[in-house]
């Protein structure tokens, strides 16, 4: 993808702080981190977002995220972490190349990964449940 900043990082055209890579995935430090030790994991083959990745490959991506998270926890010495993955501009995706964020959390930090909770009725919950469950 010509205009994709992460494809350029993967191709080595743009430098990155790479901490791990294998045939399928690259793991780098976020250049503009939410917290110290903010890591990004991305597939080397371009895909825009979650809706474009094959499920088995997504499984391997998640397994790698767990492995990296454990090493981060031991090495950086934190106890709390957010795993964040944005899809589409409304959801906060700014780089259109699928990636997972691993964000260490420290007491009193300024990171926000929360949302206001809706107060739906049981009927409203049920209507959504039925629609999704019948297609899964
Ligand atoms: P998202 O908003 O989920 O698409 O996340 C994109 C992330 O890419 C942000 O956290 C940015 O800080 C990060 N980012 C943007 N440019 C670079 C870069 N050149 N190297 C590393 N991370 C970057
Ligand atoms: Zn790309």
């Amino acid at each position: 993808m010509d205009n994709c900043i992460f494809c350029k990082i993967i191709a080595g055209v743009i430098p990155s702080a790479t901490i791990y890579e294998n045939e399928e995935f690259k793991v780098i430090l976020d250049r503009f981190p939410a917290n110290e030790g903010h890591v990004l994991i991305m597939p080397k083959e371009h895909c825009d977002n979650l809706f474009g990745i094959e499920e088995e490959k997504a499984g391997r991506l998640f397994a790698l995220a767990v492995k990296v998270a454990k090493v981060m926890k031991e090495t950086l010495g934190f106890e709390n972490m957010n795993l964040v993955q944005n899809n589409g501009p409304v959801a906060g995706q700014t780089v259109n190349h699928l990636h997972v964020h691993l964000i260490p959390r420290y007491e009193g930090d300024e990171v926000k990964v929360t949302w206001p909770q809706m107060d739906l009725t049981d009927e409203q919950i049920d209507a959504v449940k039925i629609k999704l469950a019948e297609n899964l």
Side-chain angles (χ1 to χ4, degrees):
M1 292 289 279
D2 287 351
N3 262 331
C4 174
I5 187 164
F6 285 176
C7 279
K8 286 180 181 158
I9 283 175
I10 288 155
V13 177
I14 293 177
S16 66
T18 300
I19 59 170
Y20 177 81
E21 61 188 306
N22 61 24
E23 219 172 81
E24 278 187 310
F25 304 109
K26 190 168 179 82
V27 186
I28 68 171
L29 293 182
D30 195 301
R31 186 63 189 79
F32 311 97
N35 248 345
E36 206 170 300
H38 181 163
V39 163
L40 300 173
I41 305 181
M42 60 193 73
K44 286 186 171 176
E45 191 178 320
H46 181 94
C47 110
D48 285 350
N49 55 41
L50 189 72
F51 306 111
I53 193 170
E54 185 243 323
E55 287 164 25
E56 294 295 322
K57 187 170 179 180
R60 293 191 292 278
L61 172 59
F62 194 77
L64 178 58
V66 172
K67 174 186 169 137
V68 172
K70 287 177 178 170
V71 171
M72 289 168 65
K73 180 175 182 288
E74 288 312 308
T75 310
L76 302 178
F78 59 80
E79 291 296 327
N80 299 255
M81 196 199 81
N82 289 112
L83 187 79
V84 179
Q85 202 277 308
N86 301 321
N87 299 285
V90 174
Q93 185 176 13
T94 58
V95 177
N96 286 327
H97 180 127
L98 172 67
H99 55 281
V100 171
H101 297 259
L102 283 72
I103 306 174
R105 296 301 305 272
Y106 305 101
E107 196 71 44
D109 70 25
E110 301 287 332
V111 180
K112 298 268 177 294
V113 195
T114 57
W115 47 86
Q117 292 179 310
M118 296 177 83
D119 189 15
L120 296 185
T121 63
D122 286 347
E123 289 72 27
Q124 287 171 311
I125 295 285
D126 230 41
V128 181
K129 184 198 84 174
I130 289 164
K131 262 199 273 187
L132 293 177
E134 69 190 10
N135 286 299
L136 283 168

